[in-house]
Amino acid sequence: MRLLFTVLVFLAFLPPAEAAPTAVESIPWEHRVEAFFEPDMTVLDVMLTVDHMIDPSLEPDSVRNEIDELAKHLIPMADTTVGAHSKLNVLRQFLNEAGTWNGNRAFAYDLADPLGKKHEHKRLSHYLRTRLGNCITMPMLVLVLGRRIGLNMTLAVAPFHSFVKFTDDRGREWNLEATSGSGYTRVQWYRKNLPMTETAITKGTYLRALSEEENKALIASILIDWDMASDNPERAITTANILLKHAPRSVSLYLWRGSAYAKFLQKNVLAMFPDTENVPPEIRIYADALLEQNLADFQQAEALGWTEQDGVQQ
């Protein structure tokens, strides 16, 4: 039974103190999420907007200015080289070696929270401030800065992990592991360290280059994690419904939504009727519908090649 399955370990999270809503915050939540997919919204715009939706005290413009400042130093360095691989080497140096170009503060893997389980650690603003990142923030920064110097990059996913897909001047595609210096990484490495089924690979559930809409949906899925930890499965379902329209092959979104339906059922039915024999008939119909959706989402994930052993080394 999948009812109580959770995609990640949900940590306690206290939302910021409520204040009078701004003009943007008064816009219905679903409209704000759908706006991510407007053509003029870049992946950086989505990253900064997501951070601000989680913590309204964060100023997107200040974070954008930090990115612009990094790019101001990176672009002249990259302009001295020719060819995509050479520019990629400059980007690697820029991020992973301390120098005047990054204020003598290199970016590094956060070994204390490598999966980004703490919500603050999922934010680009935290990564820029601490220079310690994870498999969520590190590929995002590589993507944003790589595009600033003209590199053809997008995101890709493996079980519980994201990385960068880079296409060179000859059209050849490479995997770049941002948590390891953005080094070239073979598919076999991902399959060995983050096991997945052949079906999941064949169907493009894992390891393929994501479209721009799928990039945005992947970034925005942080909102679902936040809502689940904040005990707001209702809004998590709303967000997942929108994101799945733009990323219908995202197995993680089906798992998140299935878990959100389970949490909604627990919160609104089972908590009030611990003895299921006493559930009134009309509420039982409602509960059965929630359970049916929970099961349907996990069945959809399985159809995409997912199993509960994904990412688990034997």
Side-chain angles (χ1 to χ4, degrees), residues 58-125:
L58 292 175
E59 291 295 336
D61 286 343
S62 66
V63 181
R64 191 186 304 277
N65 290 339
E66 290 184 63
I67 296 291
D68 290 342
E69 185 66 22
L70 290 172
K72 185 175 72 173
H73 293 281
L74 172 63
I75 292 171
M77 293 172 63
D79 284 347
T80 64
T81 65
V82 177
H85 287 279
S86 296
K87 292 182 184 297
L88 175 60
N89 286 334
V90 170
L91 177 60
R92 288 183 179 128
Q93 178 188 10
F94 184 87
L95 291 173
N96 302 304
E97 298 179 20
T100 55
W101 50 83
N102 56 28
N104 291 302
R105 296 178 63 218
F107 292 85
Y109 195 25
D110 185 357
L111 296 177
D113 186 18
L115 298 180
K117 289 184 178 180
K118 294 182 179 179
H119 287 272
E120 183 183 2
H121 296 180
K122 293 179 172 68
R123 301 174 189 168
L124 192 58
S125 57

Side-chain angles (χ1 to χ4, degrees), residues 10-13 15 224-236 263-264 266-268:
F10 299 125
L11 304 177
F13 176 81
I224 302 175
D225 184 10
W226 173 59
D227 274 336
M228 291 289 280
S230 304
D231 198 28
N232 192 351
E234 299 92 332
R235 195 165 69 184
K263 192 163 189 173
F264 187 86
Q266 179 67 43
K267 175 182 177 181
N268 293 285

Side-chain angles (χ1 to χ4, degrees), residues 158-172:
F160 306 111
H161 190 70
S162 60
F163 59 98
V164 174
K165 286 278 190 178
F166 160 60
T167 303
D168 66 17
D169 300 324
R170 297 183 178 182
R172 185 175 178 184

Side-chain angles (χ1 to χ4, degrees), residues 159-206:
F160 306 111
H161 190 70
S162 60
F163 59 98
V164 174
K165 286 278 190 178
F166 160 60
T167 303
D168 66 17
D169 300 324
R170 297 183 178 182
R172 185 175 178 184
E173 193 174 80
W174 303 81
N175 304 315
L176 304 180
E177 184 47 52
T179 64
S180 184
S182 295
Y184 301 118
T185 307
R186 295 185 302 169
V187 165
Q188 290 84 348
W189 185 90
Y190 288 108
R191 298 198 63 176
K192 176 182 177 181
N193 291 280
L194 299 166
M196 61 200 80
T197 66
E198 194 67 40
T199 300
I201 296 172
T202 300
K203 293 196 172 185
T205 302
Y206 299 129

